[in-house]
Amino acid sequence: MSTLSFESLRLKEDDCTPSTQPQAMENDFDTDLESDENEESDKEVSVPDVYLQACKLVGVVPVSYFLRNYDSAAMDLTHHGLGPLGCKALAIALVADMNINSLELGDNHIQAEGAKYLAEMLRANFTITHLDLSNNCLRSAGAEHVTNVLLNNISLKSVKLSGNGFTDDDAKYFTDALLTNSRIKELDLSHNEFCGKGGEQLGQLLANNEGLEVLNLSWNHFRMKGAVALCAGLKVNMTLTHLDLSWNGFSNEGALAMGEALKFNNTLVHLNLNNNRITNEGVGMLCRGLEFNDTLQVLLLAFNTLTVEGALALVNVVKNTPRTALEEINICNVQVNETFVRLLEVTCQEHRALDVRFGGVRGFIAKKPPKRVDPMKVIQDYLDQRKLRLWDFFRNIDKDGTMRVPVADFRKAVQQSSIPLDRYQIEELIQRLDRDGTGIVDYRGLADTRKQMMRDHRRQLRKVESRQKKEKQKSDRILRTFQSAVEAVTPHGSIVISPGGAKEDLSGPRHFSATPLSSWHHIVMSNSSRYSVTNLSNELVHLPALGGASPYRPASSPALRSYSQPNLLGDSARSSPGKPVSAQGVHSDPEVAYSKASPTALPLTRSRSALGAKQPAAKAKSKKAKKKKSTKQKD
């Protein structure tokens, strides 16, 4: 097949002219006026005629729906079986069309070849704003053609590419295309095969795109790695309002990363996390981010493994966060209890717009039965407190000192004593001391029980500590991955602003770059009169330099090394002059801020080496004092 060009989508003049043209040319008595009318009639060929001729040339059957509705603004050709050649005929007809704004070609098996024809058509057609190519088996080759459309076309605003078998390698095409195209407002990439690597690429897309508002990534395979990368991009995104991440297997690790992202994102309004294997623990991590978020309105958590505890945590967040914007929480598969209903009623009195969808009022909080204390340990503790020996306790019934007594006497002695044992514990103790069922209790086993119990207790403590250590290491590993992902996706000149904060004026040059998260500038502004700097998972947060405070000095400058806060001075030359930046603990008054930015005005930030300007003289004095003492001793 020859290479495709834009001219191949145009019909030749001989094919487009009507059959009456040769007869008109033979008439020698036509006037100039009649010739002009003939030329205009030749040019004004209708879209159905072009489509029929294109179908004839390509060799496909025309679609009657297109012929009947060619003049409508929305053209829905879903499930019409166009195929690649039918798509070519349609592309030829739409090259010069000026009516159709929405073109839906879902489930037509156009493949990559049909996507190539559409890409050539959209180079000339600038009226189509909505394009649906879902379920067309585009694969990787089709993804390349579609992204070429996103690079060249200036009219498209909504693109649906669901169910086309895109893989991780194809995610880079979309990222590269949408880094420069900020006109696309809606993008649907659901039901594809993006995994962890694709999540990293799409995280770059979220971090750098400045126009996307609606993104659907449901029914992919991001899992934990892709979820962390996506959340890192969401953290610095400033345009996205609707995000669908359902059916992706985020689990609790993804919920932790999403909670960290929601602490800083201040644009997201609708978040769908349905069916992501999130448990009550993951909801608790998500709630930590919701405490700082004041823009999210809809949160969908249906079909996750939640119970009443997770539902109570969600409602408590709304109740305890006055500035929250949550209006809808969907946990429709969770069975709640009366306690939840009462808490929801109290919360709705303060937040009247809140709507929580739950499954029913037949749920309960699973409580583990209290663990019974080992009866042997009770006896040992009783004897230790009273400083008694076993023989002292049983000598009334064991007069021979053999440490073997009948079961009835043993039971009677324990019941009459003040040992806090119930009937079930006494029977358990008898079964353990009389394993053979001989009717004789050998209480010599109680002598070595203390050491064994202590060993078991230490072993149990080690297990608990090991489990807690592993969970903490896992959380720290996820946070480190999140931080490195934020570092990777942070665009140059981006500033993260807390929910509800006013965005900084970006009209001037932006000098902040993507540095490690430990030295990344998070400027967080609240709606209140004072400003605050929010740390992410206890990382070190440095403030940007106050503009115009001091000249730029390289990192190797000895003057810089003599200060314990180099970031207050190191980036001053890169910050835009005339824009004071304030944070918690720093006065917002520009005069005070500028006066304290110089090295001489910060005596408390100097290290010991900087403070000790007269240390050599002090050492000399000490030597003289020692000499005087030695001379006095000699005298």
Side-chain angles (χ1 to χ4, degrees), residues 142-427:
E144 189 172 359
H145 295 309
V146 171
T147 51
N148 288 334
V149 173
L150 301 181
L151 285 172
N152 300 322
N153 188 275
I154 60 174
S155 62
L156 282 176
K157 295 182 179 180
S158 174
V159 181
K160 290 186 177 181
L161 299 167
S162 175
N164 279 295
F166 299 143
T167 60
D168 285 343
D169 297 333
D170 307 328
K172 191 176 187 305
Y173 295 134
F174 296 99
T175 302
D176 295 340
L178 294 176
L179 284 180
T180 57
N181 188 345
S182 59
R183 295 174 297 274
I184 299 294
K185 303 300 180 183
E186 298 183 14
L187 179 62
D188 185 357
L189 293 174
S190 61
H191 291 83
N192 283 292
E193 300 176 7
F194 296 123
C195 299
K197 186 178 178 182
E200 295 177 0
Q201 293 292 337
L202 295 175
Q204 294 275 354
L205 167 63
L206 285 177
N208 294 277
N209 183 270
E210 297 179 355
L212 200 61
E213 297 178 358
V214 180
L215 179 61
N216 188 351
L217 294 174
S218 60
W219 289 90
N220 281 284
H221 316 285
F222 293 120
R223 302 294 188 271
M224 187 271 288
K225 185 177 180 181
V228 171
L230 284 172
C231 295
L234 179 64
K235 175 181 176 179
V236 298
N237 183 274
M238 302 179 68
T239 59
L240 199 67
T241 59
H242 289 69
L243 179 60
D244 189 350
L245 294 172
S246 58
W247 297 86
N248 272 293
F250 270 32
S251 69
N252 293 338
E253 291 79 6
L256 172 61
M258 181 59 70
E260 295 294 333
L262 290 177
K263 289 181 180 179
F264 293 88
N265 183 279
N266 62 346
T267 57
L268 197 64
V269 175
H270 186 284
L271 178 61
N272 190 344
L273 294 176
N274 289 341
N275 210 316
N276 270 296
R277 300 186 298 170
I278 299 176
T279 64
N280 294 332
E281 182 182 359
V283 167
M285 299 173 182
L286 190 63
C287 290
R288 296 173 189 172
L290 294 175
E291 293 176 354
F292 298 92
N293 188 282
D294 59 356
T295 58
L296 189 66
Q297 298 178 5
V298 180
L299 177 62
L300 307 182
L301 288 169
F303 306 108
N304 287 290
T305 54
L306 304 182
T307 62
V308 185
E309 298 176 2
L312 288 171
L314 290 171
V315 177
N316 274 319
V317 166
V318 179
K319 182 177 180 296
N320 299 327
T321 309
R323 295 175 55 190
T324 184
L326 275 174
E327 297 179 357
E328 179 181 346
I329 300 175
N330 191 340
I331 47 174
C332 61
N333 63 308
V334 179
Q335 300 288 334
V336 300
N337 56 6
E338 295 294 340
T339 304
F340 174 85
V341 174
R342 289 193 296 269
L343 178 63
L344 182 60
E345 291 177 354
V346 174
T347 306
C348 288
Q349 293 177 0
E350 300 177 0
H351 305 271
R352 298 185 181 277
L354 181 63
D355 179 20
V356 181
R357 301 180 183 179
F358 50 87
V361 197
R362 296 185 299 272
F364 60 93
I365 297 178
K367 293 184 178 180
K368 295 182 179 180
K371 188 176 180 181
R372 292 183 177 178
V373 183
D374 192 345
M376 288 187 174
K377 184 177 184 303
V378 174
I379 293 179
Q380 289 291 342
D381 293 340
Y382 176 83
L383 297 176
D384 292 342
Q385 291 175 1
R386 288 161 178 77
K387 298 181 180 180
L388 297 176
R389 296 176 299 174
L390 284 175
W391 188 83
D392 295 335
F393 181 75
F394 292 106
R395 61 183 176 181
N396 293 329
I397 57 176
D398 184 19
K399 297 180 179 180
D400 297 335
T402 59
M403 304 188 80
R404 293 170 58 87
V405 296
V407 171
D409 296 340
F410 180 83
R411 182 185 294 111
K412 183 177 180 181
V414 174
Q415 290 177 349
Q416 292 178 354
S417 65
S418 58
I419 300 177
L421 291 176
D422 55 16
R423 182 165 56 89
Y424 299 101
Q425 290 176 316
I426 294 174
E427 295 300 327

Side-chain angles (χ1 to χ4, degrees), residues 112-139:
E113 183 180 353
K116 185 189 297 185
Y117 299 136
L118 290 175
E120 291 295 330
M121 180 268 295
L122 290 171
R123 288 174 55 189
N125 187 304
F126 299 110
T127 60
I128 296 177
T129 59
H130 171 75
L131 179 63
D132 185 0
L133 297 178
S134 302
N135 304 309
N136 274 295
C137 300
L138 300 183
R139 307 295 179 185

